[in-house]
Amino acid sequence: MNCSSPAPLLVLRVLADRRGVPSGLLIEAAAAADDGAAAPAVVAALAALCQEFPCLYRSGLDARLAGLLRDLGWTELAAPSLFRADERLSAALLPSEARWIDGDWCMAAPAKEPARQAASRSLALQLVQLVAADADTHEIEALLRLDPTLSYQLLRLVNSLGMGVVRRITSFGQALLILGRQQLRRWLNLMLFAANKDDIRSPMLLARVSVRARALELLARTRGLDKLTQEQAFMTGMFSLLGVLFGMPLPAILAPLSISDAVQGALLRRDGELGALLDLVECAERGEPDALAVRIGALQMTPCDFNGAIIEANHWMLGALRDSGARHHG
């Protein structure tokens, strides 16, 4: 995303409703190097974003930026309606005026899963392992047949995409062939986070990991990294929350997966360029604008580069939520 002038550094936070379902986006902005005016490309992307999802800004935001957002259709947040939760979410403990829920509550340890849901999540992880190992399509198809929910979701995805196919897709083998390994890998990664409908954390974890994965991929592209590294960046973001999802040490989860040394180093030690990109996005999630600006400069990117990736990643996240059935307009 090209910028003709310095842009404010923007961070978007996904807000949940009282049920824990992603329902809005809250924008945070650090001061720009000039008068704070957003670049035209960023303005257009922000306008498009608020057409898809409720978008909010705080009352204390820079007056010119707030006016711009208001003109684009964004809504000023009523302070009492925002509640921060960093422990397990319980609607019964929320203040009556709380409409929007912020915080890291979705990162809390998981409750014990019902056996059926745990089996579905475990099967999805086995499928991820097979795809990562470039297993034969027949092996993947045989395992997929063991879970009616995943099977249904796969056929639904391929049929909904169209992908230039005139007739309906009715077999798993046909669906796998048409979808392709890269898209299959992405879909399975997302299904890991969407598999347990009884886990209140699932929709928000899916939202967070979707933004991470797509943002890392786009930032890798901005850095001029090759297609393989861009795909590895996506995988790094997607796998970065598996430990939170399963309530297990991440090294134990990664051990049986056939992933590259670059991805493993980024996930476990924040090594290399992939590790630096993951650290950058995690810094944004923590809401540390000064540290974020330093990291962006160290990676030889501009605020506009970062803004473009974050806004596009949130667009992509909304599609992932919609496809999984987790999206809700609050």
Side-chain angles (χ1 to χ4, degrees):
M1 182 175 290
N2 296 321
C3 293
S4 57
S5 62
L9 185 57
L10 305 177
V11 174
L12 294 170
R13 302 180 63 83
V14 182
L15 302 180
D17 63 12
R18 295 177 66 90
R19 298 173 299 154
V21 177
S23 298
L25 290 171
L26 176 65
I27 194 168
E28 308 278 7
D34 62 354
D35 66 357
V42 173
V43 172
L46 291 171
L49 189 59
C50 76
Q51 297 300 312
E52 292 193 43
F53 210 56
C55 291
L56 308 141
Y57 62 90
R58 295 181 190 269
S59 59
L61 197 64
D62 174 85
R64 282 166 292 190
L65 183 55
L68 173 64
L69 292 171
R70 185 168 54 250
D71 291 343
L72 294 177
W74 289 58
T75 303
E76 183 176 332
L77 176 71
S81 67
L82 181 65
F83 181 80
R84 182 174 181 91
D86 291 314
E87 304 296 334
R88 181 173 297 280
L89 188 66
S90 172
L93 300 179
L94 293 175
S96 59
E97 66 272 18
R99 178 183 178 187
W100 308 103
I101 314 302
D102 192 13
D104 291 330
W105 60 269
C106 65
M107 306 285 278
K112 183 174 176 57
E113 289 185 308
R116 178 177 56 83
Q117 296 287 0
S120 181
R121 190 110 73 182
S122 176
L123 182 64
L125 185 57
Q126 291 178 58
L127 284 165
V128 169
Q129 293 169 1
L130 283 179
V131 174
D134 201 24
D136 185 82
T137 298
H138 293 297
E139 292 183 70
I140 298 171
E141 182 178 355
L143 194 57
L144 191 61
R145 289 176 180 276
L146 299 178
D147 190 296
T149 300
L150 285 176
S151 302
Y152 167 76
Q153 292 285 4
L154 174 64
L155 293 179
R156 177 173 172 266
L157 171 67
V158 177
N159 280 315
S160 69
L161 291 177
M163 306 182 74
V165 179
V166 177
R167 59 193 179 89
R168 303 288 285 178
I169 308 304
T170 56
S171 74
F172 300 134
Q174 190 181 15
L176 293 172
L177 180 64
I178 292 172
L179 193 60
R181 287 301 175 95
Q182 179 178 339
Q183 290 302 320
L184 176 63
R185 180 162 51 246
R186 293 185 175 215
W187 174 77
L188 285 171
N189 290 337
L190 290 171
M191 286 302 101
L192 278 173
F193 289 86
N196 188 351
K197 301 301 182 183
D198 294 329
D199 186 349
I200 192 174
R201 307 172 309 147
S202 286
M204 284 295 287
L205 277 178
L206 175 59
R208 183 170 295 200
V209 82
S210 298
V211 171
R212 275 194 188 190
R214 183 61 173 155
L216 262 66
E217 180 183 29
L218 294 169
L219 291 168
R221 181 192 302 171
T222 296
R223 292 278 295 138
L225 303 178
D226 60 36
K227 288 286 188 181
L228 175 60
T229 308
Q230 292 174 35
E231 179 64 21
Q232 290 177 335
F234 182 92
M235 183 181 294
T236 298
M238 192 60 67
F239 284 2
S240 65
L241 291 178
L242 285 181
V244 174
L245 178 68
F246 286 98
M248 294 171 55
L250 186 57
I253 297 173
L254 296 179
L257 299 180
S258 299
I259 59 176
S260 70
D261 291 340
V263 172
Q264 184 148 323
L267 289 168
L268 300 183
R269 297 178 299 276
R270 301 301 183 265
D271 285 348
E273 187 131 29
L274 295 179
L277 292 175
L278 177 57
D279 180 59
L280 173 69
V281 173
E282 289 175 324
C283 183
E285 291 177 357
R286 293 192 299 269
E288 300 173 353
D290 293 339
L292 182 61
V294 170
R295 285 165 169 79
I296 289 172
L299 287 165
Q300 298 182 317
M301 293 188 292
T302 68
C304 186
D305 292 330
F306 178 80
N307 293 346
I310 288 299
I311 293 170
E312 187 174 338
N314 276 272
H315 272 293
W316 193 86
M317 174 269 295
L318 295 178
L321 293 180
R322 181 175 57 247
D323 292 341
S324 72
R327 179 172 168 178
H328 169 70
H329 281 210

